[in-house]
Amino acid sequence: MPASQHQNPKSDIEISQAATKRRILDIAKEKLGIAAENLDPYGHYKAKVSMDYVKSLAGKPNGKLILVTAISPTPAGEGKTTTTVGLTDALNYIGKKAMLCLREPSLGPSFGVKGGAAGGGYAQVIPMEDINLHFTGDFHAITSAHNLLSALIDNHIYWGNSLGIDSRRVAWRRVMDMNDRALREIVCSLGGVANGYPREAGFDITVASEVMAIFCLAKDLEDLKERLGNIIIAYTRERKPIRARDLNAHGAMAALLKDAIAPNLVQTLEGTPAFIHGGPFANIAHGCNSVSATTTALKLADYVVTEAGFGADLGAEKFIDIKCRKAGLKPDCVVIVATIRALKMHGGVKKEDLKKEDLKALEAGMSNLQRHVENVKKFGLPAVVSINRFSADTDAEIALVKEKCKALGVEAIMADHWAMGGEGAADVAKAVVKIIDSGKADLKLLYPDDMPLFEKVRTIAKEIYRADDATADKSVKDQLKQWEEMGFGKLPVCIAKTQYSFSTNPDAKGAPTGFSIPVREVRLSAGAEFVVAICGEIMTMPGLPKVPSADAIDVKDGKIVGLF
Amino acid sequence: MPASQHQNPKSDIEISQAATKRRILDIAKEKLGIAAENLDPYGHYKAKVSMDYVKSLAGKPNGKLILVTAISPTPAGEGKTTTTVGLTDALNYIGKKAMLCLREPSLGPSFGVKGGAAGGGYAQVIPMEDINLHFTGDFHAITSAHNLLSALIDNHIYWGNSLGIDSRRVAWRRVMDMNDRALREIVCSLGGVANGYPREAGFDITVASEVMAIFCLAKDLEDLKERLGNIIIAYTRERKPIRARDLNAHGAMAALLKDAIAPNLVQTLEGTPAFIHGGPFANIAHGCNSVSATTTALKLADYVVTEAGFGADLGAEKFIDIKCRKAGLKPDCVVIVATIRALKMHGGVKKEDLKKEDLKALEAGMSNLQRHVENVKKFGLPAVVSINRFSADTDAEIALVKEKCKALGVEAIMADHWAMGGEGAADVAKAVVKIIDSGKADLKLLYPDDMPLFEKVRTIAKEIYRADDATADKSVKDQLKQWEEMGFGKLPVCIAKTQYSFSTNPDAKGAPTGFSIPVREVRLSAGAEFVVAICGEIMTMPGLPKVPSADAIDVKDGKIVGLF
């Protein structure tokens, strides 16, 4: 979130660094009842909760689960993470015992254009510079485990290729946690006999790794290892799949991930405990923090607030149809985040004109929010709309949003946690508690496990995106059929498409109709246990802009500056 | 070191995991007087000493510095790290206040053939599985900083190349902490306009990164940043050097290394404090742990034991002529490690025949030890020879080594810390203390700063390797002259050659004569501040063997197994 939101004179990193941090062992003891011996500290303000302790919680009852999602993202900014942090602080502010679960930010984009992913203003998790850089090393562990498998594949081919891997059909790329477009497509193993057999290869950013998705969906270390073994890394000339297990790679990969799988505990600016753990892409993967963090948090707090990636069409749908389906989670309430600025953009206003009142555009842009509200209801979940307040919001605009939401059967509440911390979101917190107390949530998955794979894609396209249909070439449909025959038919599908629109056209704001969803390509994540349907161009390795953030990042007097 | 050395029924990892570890905060408090607030714990058994605390030690007197080095390495194994650990435990055993400084192991080779680098038997630093895998994340930070610079270079070219980088003359490769031969030589930026300008590129292993060498030679974070800015990343068509500073990359790189630069504290099996920090290659770099760890240790303990890479010809020479020269360190005693097995290999015995007594071969192989002893004396340093005991060593063999060493003016002492811990090296410790008390050390650098670069190479070749001469093509000599004109003439030289022989022929064991040292290529490490002279083939990205160690590494019941 930009520091200019409220003309706040301090940047996020300045607020974070000026905060009075409490020792994480004290936070854990006092707020969650976790003794020091059940924590592995990483410095004084970060800790991992030991997996033995996590296991010991199995018999305890679960708290209530609140999902924060949003309208379709726009360049105006919505503030989903800020709301997740602010709402949890607010729940504590009104006297509840609440904690939150977020995704870990990727290091690479910190040097590109993206701001940090630790909230903003007075609704942040801290220490933000640690969280946005190496944190507790989880992503480095995932990178290492992924690339160990890559090295073992080319090494197997080098030493005689007894498994008969077709080097044209290696499905496993390499990863790096860096925005480096030069690595998207490479030819490797050049330079002669000693370096192997040249072939086309490439790198994705670490968050796009299937190891990341597996890491976030695995119940425990044993489940993690089993899933790592299931990864399909290549095919033979006869199209027979070769798995990581065939290279006996999964044990060593699990060894590299042994410490990483334990949830990371930090705190908000208000001392609220927060798990920040795992961070898969929200396009080719499901885009939520780890199952281990969410299930552990539910044992530790009465209210657990978590967020899903992108807008509710992509993020909430995957949270429910992939993560909840597999981990047995049942949300009790959904918070849909919007801003008046962003709704005006959905109504056709340009970014430079957002400070002017425009009720007509706002009303038009409400169509986007309306569709997300309807979608959440389809999942059987009650919702509240949380509007992040900006200083340019006018009374008439606020009144319009509230009135329109009321007509949709959902309450819209203004939230000002960015400037005020938890107190600023107290009304949202009260509304959330009221909804949960009413016990209306009754989770319905969108499709059953045994629906054919392409029918699953079609169901999401029609029910959630409101497309007329989903389309695909015969080769794509044949591939899905083949996977069904191989026993993968019961997997959920994960749709990778632009997050900026319900359609596959990022410029189609609001609530577009009269389009279809073309499935260009399908990929099998046999370890993560979902089938990815790629609709449109999806970038799995970002590039850096002309003047990257790295240009401003520096260390002065032992402190990091310029990170935002 | 193989577990079969003494028919010890336990592997190194089993000994490490069975050890009663003390909390690192307790070790720091009790043995070094460091309060908890000056440490950043990483779990309960690893911690970083804060750089503010490191700075506060500046006025304290220095302890004594003991360098552990070795004969030319053989496949029989010498046990240099084991001796470093055992000797430090032994110094504490005889009542001294001692600590040790080691290099951090590289993660990549743990999955290849190399064993761990945390000592062995009952002379280990623990927890060995942490130290050998991610440890405190320093190498991941170095990898990230290195690859950020790589990404910024290609990004600069992509966005118009205003600095005029000649893409054929990019000198900065990428790194990964993995043995992956497929990445040695690649073509990157394939796939069209969006991915940049295709060019030849490649990866080294992280320990070969100049960032690693800089990290280990930098005095503090400010010095680190300055040196990072000095890195030459490429040349223009007119051969004008382009530096990391020209891309304004050094600030963001330093931000990534901010936490890593603080020394890592762990303990030996006997609770002796140990810094394990930094680990540059010993061929294209200087092969010693960080200056920050060594200088800090000297403020904290009366005796500091540290080791240099490979044999004394490469490791000790670089320790003295690069690290000591630049950091103002002065060793008080040198310990030269040998085994009777390895000396017999230098005398021509094959590995499978090492268990048989062979006095003739042993006497012949003593020539290797003799030359290293003479070399150490040239540096003005007193030495003791520590012979790691193996069960097959015979009384006659031991007597022969002792007698021959006496004739060389140096005492040879049998050490059995591998089986017995510190007690097993008590005699070595006593001899070391006696030598230090006699105050004989009077460090002489091998060459002055203002000797021309090629003369420096020649001096090392003749004085240390005992070559007839050093040779190089005109192009190499011209390159060195050009660097002298550019102001790099005062830098020390770092010779990259095989560690297995004084010559460039790895099969020439013992003490070869009648050879010359051909300099094939020279490289300028303008940030690390040395000139690398490459003599023979030097591999900066290892490969994996047919059956890599990864095959046996696994996690069982939450414990890592198969790592050695």
Side-chain angles (χ1 to χ4, degrees):
Chain A
M1 184 127 325
S4 60
Q5 183 173 355
H6 293 259
Q7 287 79 42
N8 194 315
K10 282 187 173 177
S11 70
D12 291 351
I13 191 169
E14 285 167 345
I15 293 171
S16 173
Q17 288 175 344
T20 311
K21 295 192 286 279
R22 295 188 56 202
R23 296 283 167 126
I24 197 66
L25 297 186
D26 296 339
I27 296 273
K29 179 83 189 161
E30 188 184 303
K31 308 242 169 154
L32 303 173
I34 309 178
E37 60 260 32
N38 294 317
L39 292 160
D40 277 321
Y42 282 67
H44 297 292
Y45 306 104
K46 299 164 281 177
K48 280 186 170 282
V49 180
S50 87
M51 289 306 279
D52 285 340
Y53 180 73
V54 166
K55 278 186 188 161
S56 77
L57 299 170
K60 291 189 71 179
N62 281 331
K64 301 296 182 185
L65 182 59
I66 301 152
L67 174 66
V68 176
T69 184
I71 58 169
S72 304
T74 73
E78 289 70 44
K80 199 169 50 190
T81 303
T82 307
T83 300
T84 306
V85 175
L87 171 58
T88 317
D89 280 339
L91 284 162
N92 284 292
Y93 177 79
I94 64 167
K96 304 296 181 186
K97 186 180 173 188
M99 72 176 294
L100 68 150
C101 294
L102 289 178
R103 287 169 291 171
E104 295 181 60
S106 178
L107 185 154
S110 297
F111 300 101
V113 281
K114 193 177 149 287
Y122 288 91
Q124 288 192 55
V125 276
I126 54 172
M128 81 82 95
E129 64 271 45
D130 291 31
I131 295 168
N132 280 306
L133 296 178
H134 307 293
F135 199 27
T136 58
D138 293 344
F139 284 18
H140 293 313
I142 289 166
T143 303
S144 299
H146 183 116
N147 290 335
L148 172 61
L149 180 54
S150 310
L152 290 170
I153 294 167
D154 279 300
N155 193 58
H156 179 84
I157 297 171
Y158 177 86
W159 286 105
N161 196 10
S162 60
L163 290 169
I165 292 170
D166 183 345
S167 69
R168 303 164 308 174
R169 293 192 173 99
V170 174
W172 193 249
R173 290 158 56 91
R174 287 173 174 83
V175 296
M176 187 184 280
D177 196 1
M178 193 58 64
N179 288 17
D180 192 347
R181 68 171 68 74
L183 295 177
R184 284 174 190 155
E185 293 189 32
I186 68 170
V187 170
C188 69
S189 306
L190 295 168
V193 173
N195 299 350
Y197 298 86
R199 66 177 183 86
E200 289 184 50
F203 282 72
D204 295 324
I205 192 161
T206 298
V207 290
S209 166
E210 188 180 341
V211 177
M212 175 68 84
I214 290 172
F215 179 87
C216 290
L217 288 168
K219 279 187 272 293
D220 51 33
L221 195 55
E222 291 68 37
D223 185 30
L224 178 80
K225 189 170 119 183
E226 179 67 21
R227 286 166 176 264
L228 292 170
N230 290 342
I231 293 171
I232 293 177
I233 52 159
Y235 295 85
T236 64
R237 280 186 75 96
E238 297 73 33
R239 314 274 175 107
K240 187 174 126 355
I242 308 287
R243 293 170 185 269
R245 181 173 290 107
D246 298 322
L247 291 174
N248 203 21
H250 53 311
M253 291 171 77
L256 281 166
L257 295 167
K258 181 182 87 65
D259 293 337
I261 199 172
N264 303 306
L265 183 66
V266 290
Q267 63 190 296
T268 70
L269 286 171
E270 300 187 5
T272 299
F275 279 151
I276 304 197
H277 196 224
F281 252 22
N283 45 41
I284 60 151
H286 61 295
C288 325
N289 67 263
S290 74
V291 164
S292 67
T294 307
T295 54
T296 304
L298 286 168
K299 301 296 184 189
L300 294 170
D302 297 331
Y303 294 87
V304 174
V305 186
T306 189
E307 67 168 356
F310 297 150
D313 53 335
L314 281 162
E317 189 276 320
K318 291 176 185 186
F319 176 83
I320 291 163
D321 279 321
I322 299 177
K323 183 173 171 177
C324 291
R325 180 190 300 262
K326 290 297 175 175
L329 298 169
K330 287 184 196 295
D332 297 280
C333 178
V334 174
V335 176
I336 304 173
V337 177
T339 60
I340 286 172
R341 290 157 54 86
L343 290 170
K344 286 195 286 190
M345 280 198 97
H346 276 295
V349 177
K350 286 188 190 144
K351 202 177 173 187
E352 54 271 28
D353 297 328
L354 286 174
K355 290 196 173 169
K356 287 182 236 159
E357 181 176 281
D358 191 336
L359 296 172
K360 203 175 147 195
L362 179 58
E363 185 163 357
M366 284 290 293
S367 62
N368 186 272
L369 175 59
Q370 176 176 349
R371 190 175 281 180
H372 288 297
V373 169
E374 290 166 3
N375 284 347
V376 168
K377 285 187 186 165
K378 288 190 186 178
F379 290 112
L381 299 177
V384 61
V385 173
S386 179
I387 308 282
N388 270 314
R389 184 187 288 278
F390 274 69
S391 49
D393 298 346
T394 69
D395 289 346
E397 287 174 332
I398 294 170
L400 180 66
V401 170
K402 290 199 170 213
E403 177 203 319
K404 288 279 164 192
C405 281
K406 201 171 178 186
L408 295 174
V410 65
E411 192 180 2
I413 301 165
M414 297 306 293
D416 204 6
H417 44 269
W418 191 90
M420 296 170 65
E423 187 183 354
D427 290 344
V428 184
K430 285 176 199 160
V432 164
V433 169
K434 199 173 144 198
I435 285 180
I436 291 175
D437 286 347
S438 73
K440 280 184 195 152
D442 181 22
L443 181 69
K444 293 180 193 72
L445 302 174
L446 195 67
Y447 50 81
D449 286 356
D450 55 9
M451 183 184 278
L453 290 169
F454 194 73
E455 281 309 304
K456 288 174 182 164
V457 175
R458 181 173 274 141
T459 301
I460 298 168
K462 293 174 86 164
E463 294 288 321
I464 302 296
Y465 309 153
R466 318 295 175 91
D468 296 335
D469 202 359
T471 61
D473 287 346
K474 182 172 178 298
S475 63
V476 166
K477 291 187 179 174
D478 286 351
Q479 177 63 82
L480 292 174
K481 283 227 175 64
Q482 198 198 337
W483 287 337
E484 284 165 357
E485 284 158 17
M486 286 164 70
F488 296 109
K490 287 187 192 287
L491 298 186
V493 294
C494 178
I495 296 188
K497 72 161 189 67
T498 178
Q499 66 268 37
Y500 298 113
S501 172
F502 281 102
S503 74
T504 56
N505 170 14
D507 298 328
K509 306 262 175 249
T513 52
F515 62 90
S516 67
I517 296 284
V519 179
R520 188 168 57 80
E521 184 194 337
V522 285
R523 293 183 197 164
L524 174 59
S525 292
E529 300 183 351
F530 52 70
V531 170
V532 184
I534 295 176
C535 310
E537 287 299 321
I538 293 297
M539 181 69 75
T540 50
M541 171 55 96
L544 292 169
K546 187 163 186 180
V547 180
S549 311
D551 198 61
I553 296 172
D554 203 349
V555 189
K556 289 197 172 139
D557 302 324
K559 269 195 177 177
I560 291 175
V561 297
L563 192 67
F564 60 94
Chain B
M1 185 131 317
S4 60
Q5 183 175 354
H6 293 259
Q7 288 79 44
N8 192 314
K10 281 188 176 177
S11 71
D12 291 351
I13 192 170
E14 285 167 344
I15 293 171
S16 173
Q17 288 175 344
T20 312
K21 294 191 289 279
R22 296 188 56 203
R23 296 283 167 127
I24 198 67
L25 297 185
D26 295 340
I27 295 272
K29 179 84 190 159
E30 188 183 304
K31 308 243 168 151
L32 303 173
I34 310 178
E37 60 261 32
N38 295 316
L39 293 160
D40 277 320
Y42 283 68
H44 297 292
Y45 306 105
K46 300 165 281 180
K48 280 187 171 282
V49 180
S50 87
M51 289 306 279
D52 285 341
Y53 180 74
V54 166
K55 277 184 188 162
S56 77
L57 298 170
K60 291 188 73 178
N62 281 331
K64 301 296 183 183
L65 182 59
I66 301 152
L67 173 66
V68 176
T69 182
I71 59 170
S72 305
T74 72
E78 290 69 42
K80 199 168 51 189
T81 303
T82 307
T83 300
T84 305
V85 175
L87 171 57
T88 317
D89 280 339
L91 285 162
N92 283 294
Y93 177 81
I94 65 168
K96 304 297 181 186
K97 185 181 173 186
M99 71 176 295
L100 68 148
C101 294
L102 289 178
R103 287 168 291 172
E104 294 180 61
S106 177
L107 184 154
S110 296
F111 300 100
V113 280
K114 194 177 146 287
Y122 288 90
Q124 287 192 56
V125 276
I126 53 173
M128 82 80 97
E129 64 271 46
D130 290 30
I131 294 168
N132 280 305
L133 295 178
H134 308 293
F135 200 26
T136 58
D138 294 344
F139 285 18
H140 292 314
I142 289 166
T143 303
S144 298
H146 183 116
N147 290 336
L148 172 61
L149 180 54
S150 310
L152 289 170
I153 294 167
D154 279 301
N155 193 56
H156 179 84
I157 297 171
Y158 177 86
W159 285 106
N161 197 10
S162 60
L163 290 168
I165 292 170
D166 183 345
S167 69
R168 302 163 309 172
R169 292 193 172 98
V170 174
W172 194 250
R173 290 157 56 90
R174 287 173 173 81
V175 296
M176 188 185 279
D177 196 2
M178 194 57 66
N179 288 17
D180 192 348
R181 68 171 69 76
L183 294 177
R184 284 175 190 154
E185 295 188 30
I186 67 169
V187 170
C188 69
S189 306
L190 296 168
V193 172
N195 298 349
Y197 297 86
R199 64 178 185 86
E200 289 185 50
F203 282 73
D204 296 323
I205 192 163
T206 298
V207 291
S209 166
E210 188 180 341
V211 176
M212 175 67 85
I214 291 172
F215 180 88
C216 289
L217 288 168
K219 279 189 274 292
D220 52 32
L221 196 54
E222 290 70 36
D223 186 29
L224 177 80
K225 190 169 115 182
E226 179 66 21
R227 287 165 176 264
L228 292 170
N230 291 341
I231 294 170
I232 294 177
I233 52 157
Y235 295 85
T236 64
R237 280 185 77 96
E238 298 73 32
R239 312 276 176 106
K240 186 175 129 344
I242 308 287
R243 293 170 185 269
R245 181 171 292 105
D246 299 321
L247 291 175
N248 203 20
H250 53 311
M253 292 170 77
L256 280 167
L257 295 166
K258 182 182 85 68
D259 293 338
I261 199 172
N264 303 306
L265 183 66
V266 291
Q267 62 189 297
T268 70
L269 285 171
E270 300 187 4
T272 298
F275 279 150
I276 304 196
H277 196 224
F281 251 23
N283 46 42
I284 60 151
H286 61 294
C288 324
N289 66 263
S290 74
V291 164
S292 66
T294 307
T295 54
T296 305
L298 286 168
K299 302 296 183 188
L300 294 171
D302 297 331
Y303 295 86
V304 174
V305 186
T306 189
E307 67 168 356
F310 297 152
D313 54 335
L314 281 163
E317 190 275 319
K318 292 176 186 186
F319 177 82
I320 291 163
D321 279 321
I322 299 176
K323 182 173 172 176
C324 291
R325 181 190 300 263
K326 291 296 174 177
L329 297 169
K330 288 183 194 295
D332 296 280
C333 178
V334 175
V335 176
I336 305 173
V337 177
T339 59
I340 286 172
R341 291 157 53 88
L343 290 169
K344 286 195 287 190
M345 280 198 97
H346 275 294
V349 177
K350 285 188 191 142
K351 201 176 174 187
E352 54 271 28
D353 297 328
L354 286 174
K355 290 196 173 170
K356 286 182 236 157
E357 182 175 280
D358 190 336
L359 295 172
K360 202 176 150 198
L362 179 59
E363 186 163 356
M366 284 291 294
S367 63
N368 185 272
L369 175 59
Q370 178 177 346
R371 191 176 280 181
H372 288 298
V373 169
E374 290 166 4
N375 284 347
V376 169
K377 285 187 186 166
K378 286 188 188 180
F379 290 111
L381 299 177
V384 61
V385 173
S386 179
I387 308 282
N388 270 315
R389 184 186 288 278
F390 274 68
S391 49
D393 300 346
T394 69
D395 290 346
E397 287 175 331
I398 294 170
L400 179 66
V401 170
K402 291 198 170 216
E403 178 203 319
K404 286 279 164 193
C405 281
K406 201 170 178 184
L408 295 173
V410 65
E411 192 180 2
I413 300 163
M414 298 306 293
D416 204 6
H417 43 269
W418 192 89
M420 296 170 66
E423 187 184 355
D427 290 345
V428 184
K430 285 176 197 159
V432 164
V433 170
K434 199 171 144 198
I435 284 180
I436 291 175
D437 287 347
S438 74
K440 279 184 194 152
D442 181 21
L443 181 68
K444 293 181 191 70
L445 302 175
L446 196 66
Y447 51 81
D449 285 355
D450 55 9
M451 183 183 277
L453 290 169
F454 194 74
E455 280 310 302
K456 288 174 182 165
V457 175
R458 181 174 272 143
T459 302
I460 298 168
K462 293 173 88 163
E463 294 289 321
I464 302 296
Y465 309 154
R466 317 297 174 90
D468 296 335
D469 202 358
T471 60
D473 288 346
K474 182 174 176 299
S475 63
V476 166
K477 290 186 178 173
D478 286 351
Q479 177 64 80
L480 292 174
K481 283 226 175 65
Q482 199 199 335
W483 288 336
E484 284 165 357
E485 285 157 16
M486 286 165 68
F488 297 108
K490 288 187 191 286
L491 297 186
V493 295
C494 178
I495 297 188
K497 71 163 190 70
T498 178
Q499 66 267 38
Y500 298 113
S501 172
F502 281 102
S503 74
T504 56
N505 170 12
D507 298 329
K509 305 260 175 250
T513 53
F515 62 91
S516 67
I517 296 285
V519 179
R520 188 169 56 80
E521 182 193 339
V522 284
R523 294 183 196 165
L524 174 58
S525 293
E529 301 184 351
F530 52 69
V531 170
V532 183
I534 296 176
C535 310
E537 288 299 321
I538 293 296
M539 181 69 74
T540 50
M541 173 53 98
L544 292 169
K546 188 163 185 177
V547 181
S549 310
D551 198 61
I553 296 171
D554 203 348
V555 189
K556 287 194 174 143
D557 303 324
K559 270 194 175 177
I560 291 175
V561 299
L563 192 68
F564 60 93

